[in-house]
Amino acid sequence: MAVDKRVDMCTEKRNNSGVGDIFILHQDGSPIFKGCFHRPDNITPALPLSAVIQNMAVDKCVDMCTEKEKSLAVLAGDLCHCGFPTRLFSLHELENEDMCLPHCPGGGFESCGNDEYFVVYQTQVQDNRCMDRRFLPTGAKQLVALASFPVSGNTWSRLLIEQASGFYTGSIYMDKAIYDQGFNGEGDNWMRGRTICIKTHNYKRKHIYQYSSSILLIRNPYKSLMAEFNRRHGGHNGFASQDDWRGNGWPVFVKNTAPKWNSQILSWLNYGKNVKVVHYEDLKKNLRCQLREIVQFLGLKDSEERLLCVEGQKEGTFKRSNQGNLAYNPYTPQMQANINELIRRVDAALKEKEQPGVPEEYMPK
């Protein structure tokens, strides 16, 4: 299927990353290698803490920056710099790792970089610049939906939006497990207008009319259907058994549920006011760009500091579990033919509304 060029502002290439909705905390305590980067032009404001370390090794620099409560440990020969991602050092222009090859005097085969090319690690220190969140004054904002088919990344997207905007998101549901994870808006009456946007899977026309605008989150139906099947049979953190997949339940589920993916999207496109479409795959690929557009759509001024903070947390805070991945494709040729037709209908409807069409990877090769 030919897919038109993007009509939104985030025009970088899409990728084919599979996205799950089961997350576990990243708790191994190890720093995350970020790559090799060119020395920033203004190094002191970019990386305000620096020290010479004898017999430099990665763990020595990481330990120092962790003690100083900084999220970045930056090695430059025998110099260790500490800081946070900023406009001056955003970590968006990755260099070839060969430029950082000089070995650390005290680290065996570890690379320590040099005066011009720095080796960067992310410590386990949480960047708190995007952690503060609050409610809007009651009735301060018209209702904005965060609408999606179930298990399309709504909860993860809520976390990103809260961190980028500084305001709680709400929900038409009350999921105690979500509330206990720090989503304080989950327990708030969504009609009060105290949250920046509101999670909903409802696509009845009467419900849609209650919102002044909406973010329509769309995910590859092949991924969504499998994730929802796992959720129904294994709960939020479990997985369907092999008997579930190979029994009659799976084909019946696909037959009954796949059309709802199509109906949910078309209903919001047709009846929603001021709809912004966000493809979850694009959010994973171009997080900062997509989040900036979402924040602006919500009527807020975007903060580069908060966006860089969110971007830095995406690897260190949550990690999806692959434990339940199937070793085979559960979709029969007939299932694929039916789902592909639904994808084509959605793609056509999106383009008719001058929205970005579906990513190419929605159609199996």
Side-chain angles (χ1 to χ4, degrees), residues 197-259:
C197 60
I198 301 152
K199 169 184 176 177
T200 178
H201 302 314
N202 192 328
Y203 55 91
K204 293 181 180 179
R205 190 184 310 188
K206 183 179 179 180
H207 180 72
I208 295 173
Y209 284 160
Q210 295 181 85
Y211 299 92
S212 61
S213 56
S214 56
I215 299 167
L216 178 56
L217 185 63
I218 302 175
R219 183 187 178 193
N220 186 330
Y222 285 99
K223 306 280 188 178
S224 291
L225 290 169
M226 291 180 67
E228 175 65 358
F229 190 72
N230 274 321
R231 186 191 68 81
R232 292 192 184 187
H233 288 269
H236 285 296
N237 299 313
F239 302 93
S241 68
Q242 290 297 316
D243 288 341
D244 292 326
W245 288 106
R246 297 187 183 279
N248 292 328
W250 169 244
V252 171
F253 169 82
V254 172
K255 180 180 178 180
N256 294 336
T257 309

Side-chain angles (χ1 to χ4, degrees), residues 282-294:
D282 287 348
L283 188 59
K284 290 291 290 185
K285 174 66 176 177
N286 304 316
L287 179 66
R288 179 166 154 268
C289 179
Q290 291 283 339
L291 264 184
R292 186 190 305 279
E293 289 193 1
I294 290 171

